Amino acid sequence: MILLSYFEPETNNWRECTFAQLPTNLPAEARLWINLNNASQEEQLQIMQRFAIGPTLAEDFSRERHPPKMEAQTDFTLLIMRGYADADFSEYNSSAQVNLLYSKQVLISKIQCHNPVLLKQLEPQITAGKNSNIADWIKQLIFVVSGSYLEKLINFEDEQSELEDVMLHRGNDEHMARIMRYRSVLRKINRNLAYQKDIFSDAVYEEQSPLLRHFNSTEIRDFYEKFERLHSMTDMYYDQLSDLVEGYLSTTSHQINERMKVLTIVSTIFIPLTFIAGIYGMNFINMPELQMMNGYFIVLIAMATGGIAGLTWFKIRGWW
């Protein structure tokens, strides 16, 4: 189903209309928002043909999943972005896919988002009785997409601090699994942010960037700085979580080494004692010490002396 919101310069107001009710040529002051969130492939194709959208742009726009990108033709610019739609970084269901085709008068949007609150924010804000600038709508959507990451990243800072304290004092495998989930989510959103940062980074330095049709260089740099900051924050959090993993593994390895050292010391002490016990456990008739009256006690004293001497040697050498 196609949803159209049309601003009529004659009545100076917005109204919902059908595709057939649109004028063939839009007046200069007219504005049009076409919502294709629930449109079929045939309806999307109809819109693409109506506004003479090139096949490459039409194909990329119609995809439900596409990496963030920006491309332009004569009148229309394609901008694909991804927002973060989950409540936090404990799980990652899917991104909010924001596909936009826009010109000076027309905005065509297709947004896939499982978060109803974010979906509502990603819709252009229409004010009754007031004409809207398409560039302002695009700016609003860019800020909403960047904000969907920023709020979660700021909240995650406190959670990561708690994780650091927990891992320092009583870390366990459950906390490790939690960290690994966070790292997986951060790695995925980092890719999305890298794509979007590059879109605006290229626009900052390209004199022919499609964004310059609607925004000045200061606004484009503002977009770039927002996504560059988000990308840097995800890099930083990912590195810090990696440090926690490495620290936990190092601590665990050290604890295992300490236990192995104790076991090695015990084994080293008891191996010669076991050797002596093994010799005198043999049942040969002609063993010379079998007839000694105090042989049993002499062997026990020798074994105790050997064990104490071994422990003393380890202590002197600093091995224990």
Side-chain angles (χ1 to χ4, degrees):
M1 181 175 63
I2 303 175
L3 300 178
L4 294 96
S5 297
Y6 178 61
F7 180 82
E8 287 184 326
E10 296 82 4
T11 61
N12 197 37
N13 210 344
W14 288 90
R15 67 180 179 88
E16 294 184 358
C17 64
T18 64
F19 184 71
Q21 292 173 334
L22 285 177
T24 305
N25 296 314
L26 296 179
E29 297 300 319
R31 296 294 181 269
L32 177 64
W33 170 37
I34 303 176
N35 184 344
L36 299 181
N37 291 358
N38 300 313
S40 65
Q41 289 292 333
E42 292 75 13
E43 290 172 328
Q44 294 181 47
L45 180 60
Q46 186 180 18
I47 294 294
M48 299 299 110
Q49 292 174 345
R50 166 65 174 78
F51 292 99
I53 305 298
T56 302
L57 265 63
E59 180 182 358
D60 290 344
F61 175 84
S62 300
R63 289 183 180 178
E64 293 186 1
R65 289 184 56 82
H66 195 289
K69 69 171 293 186
M70 183 177 62
E71 192 174 342
Q73 64 178 38
T74 305
D75 298 321
F76 279 85
T77 300
L78 170 68
L79 179 62
I80 298 177
M81 296 182 295
R82 284 183 177 177
Y84 192 77
D86 291 313
D88 52 38
F89 295 143
S90 60
E91 60 179 354
Y92 181 84
N93 293 314
S94 62
S95 299
Q97 182 81 21
V98 182
N99 296 359
L100 306 174
L101 270 170
Y102 62 94
S103 66
K104 291 184 178 181
Q105 293 181 274
V106 180
L107 171 63
I108 307 171
S109 68
K110 180 182 178 183
I111 302 171
Q112 304 294 327
C113 179
H114 62 271
N115 185 333
V117 175
L118 180 59
L119 179 61
K120 185 65 177 178
Q121 294 173 349
L122 287 170
E123 294 179 354
Q125 302 301 310
I126 294 178
T127 303
K130 180 181 178 182
N131 198 351
S132 297
N133 191 332
I134 299 296
D136 291 338
W137 279 353
I138 302 301
K139 184 189 296 187
Q140 169 211 332
L141 296 178
I142 292 173
F143 286 165
V144 170
V145 169
S146 64
S148 68
Y149 292 95
L150 181 60
E151 181 183 359
K152 313 300 190 309
L153 287 168
I154 291 175
N155 294 336
F156 184 68
E157 185 174 2
D158 294 334
E159 191 164 357
Q160 181 167 295
S161 298
E162 293 177 2
L163 261 179
E164 290 176 351
D165 295 337
V166 168
M167 293 299 290
L168 180 63
H169 298 98
R170 53 183 185 280
N172 54 38
D173 291 343
E174 181 179 348
H175 295 130
M176 271 290 289
R178 184 176 163 194
I179 290 175
M180 297 306 292
R181 287 199 303 273
Y182 284 145
R183 289 180 67 200
S184 175
V185 173
L186 287 172
R187 187 164 53 245
K188 292 173 182 176
I189 68 173
N190 187 267
R191 289 197 296 267
N192 292 338
L193 291 171
Y195 283 126
Q196 292 171 122
K197 181 190 75 169
D198 290 343
I199 288 174
F200 299 110
S201 173
D202 294 341
V204 169
Y205 300 104
E206 289 182 2
E207 295 183 358
Q208 303 299 324
S209 171
L211 284 174
L212 290 172
R213 296 176 176 178
H214 305 276
F215 305 102
N216 58 46
S217 58
T218 302
E219 292 173 317
I220 295 174
R221 182 170 291 276
D222 185 31
F223 299 154
Y224 165 71
E225 289 176 351
K226 287 183 180 297
F227 283 98
E228 196 279 332
R229 180 190 175 197
L230 295 171
H231 186 255
S232 298
M233 290 176 71
T234 55
D235 275 340
M236 179 183 67
Y237 290 151
Y238 184 85
D239 291 341
Q240 289 175 348
L241 290 176
S242 298
D243 291 342
L244 285 180
V245 172
E246 292 176 3
Y248 176 75
L249 293 178
S250 297
T251 302
T252 304
S253 178
H254 177 70
Q255 293 172 348
I256 293 174
N257 289 338
E258 288 296 313
R259 296 188 185 106
M260 290 302 297
K261 185 172 72 172
V262 173
L263 292 175
T264 302
I265 291 173
V266 172
S267 299
T268 304
I269 296 300
F270 279 92
I271 284 175
L273 306 186
T274 305
F275 174 72
I276 295 173
I279 289 177
Y280 288 100
M282 294 186 293
N283 296 319
F284 293 110
I285 296 175
N286 296 321
M287 288 181 65
E289 291 84 1
L290 291 179
Q291 304 301 322
M292 293 177 61
M293 182 67 68
N294 296 318
Y296 172 72
F297 301 103
I298 293 173
V299 171
L300 286 181
I301 292 171
M303 293 170 68
T305 302
I308 294 172
L311 289 174
T312 304
W313 174 252
F314 289 135
K315 193 69 174 180
I316 293 173
R317 298 289 293 181
W319 296 344
W320 173 54

